[in-house]
Amino acid sequence: MGANGSGKSTFSKLINALLVPDTGTVTVNNLKTNNPDNTFAIRSTAGAVFQNVASLVENDVAFGPENLGIENPELRQRVEESLAKVGLAGSGKRETTALSGGQKQRVAIAGVLAMHPSILIFDEASAMLDPRGRRGLMRVCKELHEQGMTVIMITHFMEEAAEADRVIVLNDGHCVLDGTPDEVLTQDHVLRDLNLDVPFATHMSRLLQDRGINVGTHIETATLKEELCRSLSNR
């Protein structure tokens, strides 16, 4: 997370060697990104989700693995398997322009999955989605993570960050906060100084505390609601 210009997109491009560092080193799976001999292996390992680039869904999904040198029939199999993983089985012949925003995002994810990466990078992938589309994207992310994939998500949505295992906040290219969601997203003053919002549940927790109500500091609405319900039922 971080305000505009904090270095989030640069960070993501450093991971898959679209950029190489001016100083220091970036290592992905024990491979240094500034070694050109490692570029192919790194980009095969760390896949970034981009917007659709082709008219047909199947061509869009095939774009990434095709550029890695994957040929038919394996290419066709990867396309079909990846579309099935994101709930779009049988959609290969559909026009991408006819898809909803959420479906286009799933096609973009399928295109990366077809490359068989072990790291999946989302750079503001949910910014153009409605709330239902964002929830669907988060479900896909959780399923992939449960299957062993590392998911890196750059987002402005605090509710998405609250579901992560680890949150890193950047400012001017530097890491200023790094920890669990509970450790990071409850630091109201630091986040606001960086022009970032705090989760709604955290804001509401503070308001209740300021009014003398004995409630913990929460980052998720559901846990705040549960505590309030327990408190009221014990009165």
Side-chain angles (χ1 to χ4, degrees):
M1 305 194 78
N4 292 334
S6 62
K8 304 185 302 298
S9 293
T10 299
F11 171 71
S12 69
K13 291 174 182 175
L14 286 167
I15 295 173
N16 62 3
L18 287 175
L19 293 175
V20 294
D22 297 321
T23 60
T25 58
V26 175
T27 304
V28 179
N29 279 3
N30 297 317
L31 298 173
K32 292 184 178 180
T33 63
N34 57 4
N35 184 344
D37 293 337
N38 295 335
T39 301
F40 181 85
I42 289 170
R43 290 182 183 168
S44 301
T45 298
V49 175
F50 297 104
Q51 293 300 313
N52 52 297
V53 296
S55 58
L56 289 182
V57 167
E58 62 182 12
N59 293 339
D60 189 298
V61 177
F63 179 80
E66 204 166 23
N67 278 277
L68 293 178
I70 307 300
E71 299 178 351
N72 282 318
E74 183 182 351
L75 177 63
R76 181 59 48 203
Q77 182 179 349
R78 286 194 184 196
V79 169
E80 293 174 356
E81 289 176 349
S82 299
L83 284 172
K85 284 181 180 179
V86 298
L88 291 174
S91 300
K93 298 297 183 182
R94 293 184 66 183
E95 295 276 348
T96 54
T97 54
L99 302 178
S100 68
Q103 289 172 325
K104 289 178 181 177
Q105 200 59 266
R106 282 190 279 169
V107 170
I109 297 170
V112 178
L113 294 180
M115 298 166 64
H116 289 183
S118 56
I119 302 171
L120 187 58
I121 305 166
F122 291 96
D123 190 349
E124 303 285 2
S126 63
M128 301 302 292
L129 300 180
D130 59 21
R132 182 178 180 182
R134 289 201 297 274
R135 288 194 297 271
L137 176 62
M138 291 303 295
R139 280 196 299 272
V140 172
C141 288
K142 287 182 178 180
E143 290 169 2
L144 294 172
H145 181 58
E146 289 169 358
Q147 295 166 15
M149 185 176 291
T150 296
V151 179
I152 298 173
M153 178 172 284
I154 296 171
T155 181
H156 282 296
F157 293 104
M158 286 292 171
E159 287 70 24
E160 292 178 355
E163 297 186 46
D165 295 322
R166 177 182 180 185
V167 178
I168 298 172
V169 178
L170 299 178
N171 183 51
D172 195 25
H174 297 279
C175 175
V176 292
L177 293 173
D178 182 358
T180 66
D182 282 313
E183 291 169 340
V184 172
L185 301 182
T186 54
Q187 299 199 41
D188 318 30
H189 298 300
V190 177
L191 293 173
R192 290 195 172 104
D193 285 344
L194 296 173
N195 293 318
L196 295 175
D197 292 327
V198 296
F200 171 79
T202 303
H203 177 65
M204 184 59 67
S205 298
R206 298 301 191 204
L207 291 177
L208 293 169
Q209 292 165 2
D210 289 344
R211 285 160 176 74
I213 298 175
N214 186 19
V215 64
T217 303
H218 296 265
I219 61 173
E220 295 184 281
T221 306
T223 59
L224 173 59
K225 182 175 69 174
E226 288 171 5
E227 183 176 357
L228 288 172
C229 288
R230 286 196 302 271
S231 176
L232 291 171
S233 64
N234 291 332
R235 288 186 175 182

